[in-house]
Amino acid sequence: MAHKHKKSDPSPAAALLEEKHGYEFFGPPGAFAITFILPLLVLSSLLFCNEVSGCPAPGLLNLRTLTLEKLKAQTPWPETGVIGLFDIHAIGWTLAYYGLLVALQLILPGHEVEGTKLSNGARLRYKFNSWRTTLVFIAGLSTGTVLYGADWIVWTFIWDKLVQIYIANLLIAYGLALYCYIGSFTVPHPDQANPSNRELAKGGHSGNMLYDFMIGRELNPRWDIPAWLPLVGGQPLDIKLFMEMRPGLMGWIILDCAYIAHQYKLYGYVTDSIVFITAFQALYVLDAMYMEPAILTTIDCIMDGFGFMLSFGDVAWLPFIYSIQTRYLAVHPVQLGVSGVAGVLAVTSVGYYIFRSSNNEKNRFRTNPNDPKVAHLESLTTSAGTKLLTSGWWGTARHINYLGDWIMSWSFCLPTGFAGYVVHRSVSALTGTVTLDVEQGDAKGWGMIFTYFYIIYFGVLLVHRELRDEAKCRRKYGKDWERYCQIVKWKIIPYVY
């Protein structure tokens, strides 16, 4: 489907640049992998690193004798087969969780902010109150834990139905992506009236159905809440920002807390390693919630449409892959001690300082370049009038915030050590009580495939994102970007890459 440009396009050259916006993520084959293979990868991580037999499942350590039946017996695969992955209670409570988040988004007071300029010159308005929503959740979860402890039904339900909860989130990701894909065909033509300022993402309408479904056709799909509804009527709900900031990020920390509760239920104590990881992952999330308006200057918000890639990544990939370390430690406790905590804390502090300082600097400069904290910074003015920072953090490397993000990822994985464990179960002949004996045995080191996967994945993700950012900036700024790259030579790691 050919894209017809708005009359407000600055020049024929700009139109030509947009027409050359090619495939990303290796085009349709990559779209197939993201849409159908990555969901299986997450499911495999939940099945093959488990409490039933070990991490990894022992059969995976001897592939010559591995059979499908043995693998099923060593994983939490439902006795009813595939149908058992679809649990009505897990789906229902997951939908209730999303519904509560939507209600809090609409009901709680928030800070009204204008977004960046769209291609037609207009700006969308956003209501930000993730921080208040988070405080409500913290209060509710804390109260339930104080009253009922580790046996609180929220924590036990999450652990017992973890695989089914993942499937529920996956169904939501598919369903919402399909809804937005179909809805994108109602975006008004540039020559038509467009009071809602809807527009297609520049790279999201290639004409290939699978690719466009994955990458996202519409830039900012929204629900307009009917005006007749009490308290919330007339508000728009931005689907992309809701999904990026609420169910997945919040779910990540809720999963971590459920795993802490399970560790306490199993062993009667909580280790410093699982507390450390949860605390700093919570800091990462709380920081994002508190600094919510900063998302308006990210590539996800400015350039990317909302398709399956973001939908799946937000609620099915992020919370379940990013919490693997705490899930591992829930079954195989690791005590770091003072020196271990100090070492990992140092890594976290360095990463967080680089990440937050650089992002704050960029956000301040983009929103108010006269802010005293950034007014002294040097910049390069492009022919389009945009300014690119050439000093401060952004004069050190063109994507210096990615370095801080990646350094932090190490602190999430290091506490698991040389990961891997085997579970031995014994049943008391008198009481029928099942006792778990967890040891590393032959699995030592093999569990790192799961607990250190985040470092490798995140590094690849950041490099790929950097390449996407560079390609978009080169299309946008042309020769000005080449001049900028001559001034700021390094991409992510100064003097290395």
Side-chain angles (χ1 to χ4, degrees):
M1 175 176 159
H3 175 58
K4 296 184 179 179
H5 300 282
K6 295 181 181 293
K7 293 181 179 179
S8 57
D9 278 351
S11 67
L16 180 60
L17 286 173
E18 186 168 334
E19 287 171 3
K20 291 182 178 179
H21 194 299
Y23 283 134
E24 296 181 280
F25 298 98
F26 304 103
F32 178 87
I34 291 172
T35 305
F36 300 110
I37 297 179
L38 283 190
L40 295 177
L41 180 63
V42 180
L43 179 61
S44 298
S45 74
L46 296 173
L47 294 175
F48 298 156
C49 181
N50 61 71
E51 186 190 8
V52 175
S53 61
C55 181
L60 296 173
L61 300 178
N62 192 350
L63 297 179
R64 291 181 179 179
T65 61
L66 181 64
T67 63
L68 182 58
E69 291 305 314
K70 179 187 290 187
L71 191 58
K72 287 181 179 179
Q74 293 179 355
T75 66
W77 184 256
E79 293 183 1
T80 54
V82 174
I83 194 66
L85 297 174
F86 302 87
D87 183 90
I88 189 65
H89 296 100
I91 294 173
W93 283 112
T94 301
L95 288 173
Y97 166 68
Y98 279 73
L100 177 58
L101 286 172
V102 169
L104 291 174
Q105 159 88 48
L106 298 174
I107 294 172
L108 292 178
H111 181 48
E112 296 281 342
V113 177
E114 278 193 343
T116 56
K117 190 178 294 186
L118 300 173
S119 60
N120 66 355
R123 296 176 186 267
L124 295 174
R125 292 193 63 82
Y126 298 87
K127 175 185 175 183
F128 290 124
N129 59 10
S130 285
W131 178 248
R132 289 186 173 94
T133 299
T134 303
L135 295 180
V136 170
F137 264 82
I138 290 175
L141 295 173
S142 299
T143 300
T145 305
V146 169
L147 292 176
Y148 302 103
D151 289 319
W152 188 29
I153 191 170
V154 170
W155 305 138
T156 57
F157 182 82
I158 289 174
W159 184 269
D160 294 339
K161 298 288 187 179
L162 184 64
V163 174
Q164 288 78 9
I165 292 172
Y166 162 69
I167 294 297
N169 280 277
L170 181 61
L171 292 175
I172 291 171
Y174 277 118
L176 196 54
L178 182 61
Y179 169 86
C180 291
Y181 176 78
I182 295 173
S184 69
F185 290 96
T186 65
V187 172
H189 187 277
D191 295 331
Q192 295 176 330
N194 189 7
S196 298
N197 294 309
R198 297 175 64 194
E199 62 180 41
L200 299 178
K202 292 178 181 175
H205 44 106
S206 67
N208 182 281
M209 184 180 298
L210 179 60
Y211 178 82
D212 292 344
F213 168 78
M214 182 278 296
I215 203 73
R217 290 190 85 248
E218 187 169 355
L219 182 62
N220 294 300
R222 291 184 156 200
W223 283 321
D224 290 321
I225 308 301
W228 51 265
L229 284 176
L231 297 179
V232 301
Q235 296 185 54
L237 181 68
D238 191 284
I239 297 174
K240 182 165 66 174
L241 263 63
F242 172 82
M243 291 289 281
E244 291 228 354
M245 293 303 300
R246 294 173 188 263
L249 282 175
M250 192 86 69
W252 179 12
I253 304 308
I254 291 174
L255 289 179
D256 280 349
C257 292
Y259 301 153
I260 290 178
H262 189 74
Q263 187 188 74
Y264 184 80
K265 186 176 179 180
L266 279 181
Y267 299 102
Y269 62 84
V270 175
T271 59
D272 54 11
S273 59
I274 197 171
V275 170
F276 180 93
I277 293 177
T278 299
F280 279 91
Q281 290 183 344
L283 174 64
Y284 186 91
V285 171
L286 292 174
D287 174 82
M289 300 296 189
Y290 189 76
M291 303 295 296
E292 187 178 16
I295 194 175
L296 293 178
T297 58
T298 63
I299 291 294
D300 284 0
C301 185
I302 297 172
M303 300 291 293
D304 290 342
F306 183 79
F308 181 76
M309 180 182 70
L310 285 182
S311 183
F312 166 75
D314 289 339
V315 302
W317 177 273
L318 185 152
F320 294 93
I321 290 295
Y322 287 23
S323 63
I324 283 178
Q325 296 84 14
T326 50
R327 182 162 62 85
Y328 170 88
L329 292 170
V331 181
H332 183 257
V334 174
Q335 291 286 5
L336 296 175
V338 175
S339 59
V341 169
V344 181
L345 180 60
V347 174
T348 303
S349 300
V350 170
Y352 180 75
Y353 175 71
I354 296 173
F355 172 79
R356 179 42 57 205
S357 298
S358 59
N359 277 331
N360 280 347
E361 184 179 88
K362 177 185 68 173
N363 190 53
R364 286 193 183 101
F365 187 79
R366 284 185 173 179
T367 55
N368 181 16
N370 295 319
D371 188 316
K373 294 182 178 179
V374 296
H376 65 284
L377 296 176
E378 298 176 1
S379 63
L380 182 153
T381 302
T382 68
S383 57
T386 306
K387 292 184 177 182
L388 302 175
L389 283 170
T390 57
S391 66
W393 280 112
W394 300 91
T396 306
R398 302 198 290 272
H399 307 276
I400 190 66
N401 57 330
Y402 292 172
L403 175 60
D405 224 355
W406 190 63
I407 291 174
M408 276 193 290
S409 73
W410 281 84
S411 64
F412 299 161
C413 305
L414 289 172
T416 64
F418 292 99
Y421 62 79
V422 179
V423 176
H424 302 287
R425 293 173 175 268
S426 58
V427 182
S428 171
L430 296 177
T431 64
T433 303
V434 178
T435 302
L436 299 183
D437 180 22
V438 180
E439 63 174 8
Q440 289 203 282
D442 294 337
K444 184 175 182 179
W446 288 103
M448 295 173 71
I449 295 172
F450 299 94
T451 64
Y452 285 77
F453 170 76
Y454 178 62
I455 292 176
I456 299 171
Y457 150 74
F458 203 50
V460 172
L461 172 71
L462 292 175
V463 169
H464 184 265
R465 178 170 289 186
E466 170 263 318
L467 294 173
R468 292 182 69 214
D469 292 348
E470 296 266 330
K472 288 176 180 178
C473 289
R474 191 165 283 108
R475 286 195 300 268
K476 181 177 181 181
Y477 300 117
K479 292 183 179 180
D480 290 328
W481 184 254
E482 300 301 328
R483 288 171 52 212
Y484 171 69
C485 292
Q486 291 175 0
I487 299 172
V488 184
K489 300 181 182 299
W490 305 104
K491 297 179 179 180
I492 297 177
I493 307 175
Y495 306 103
V496 176
Y497 175 76

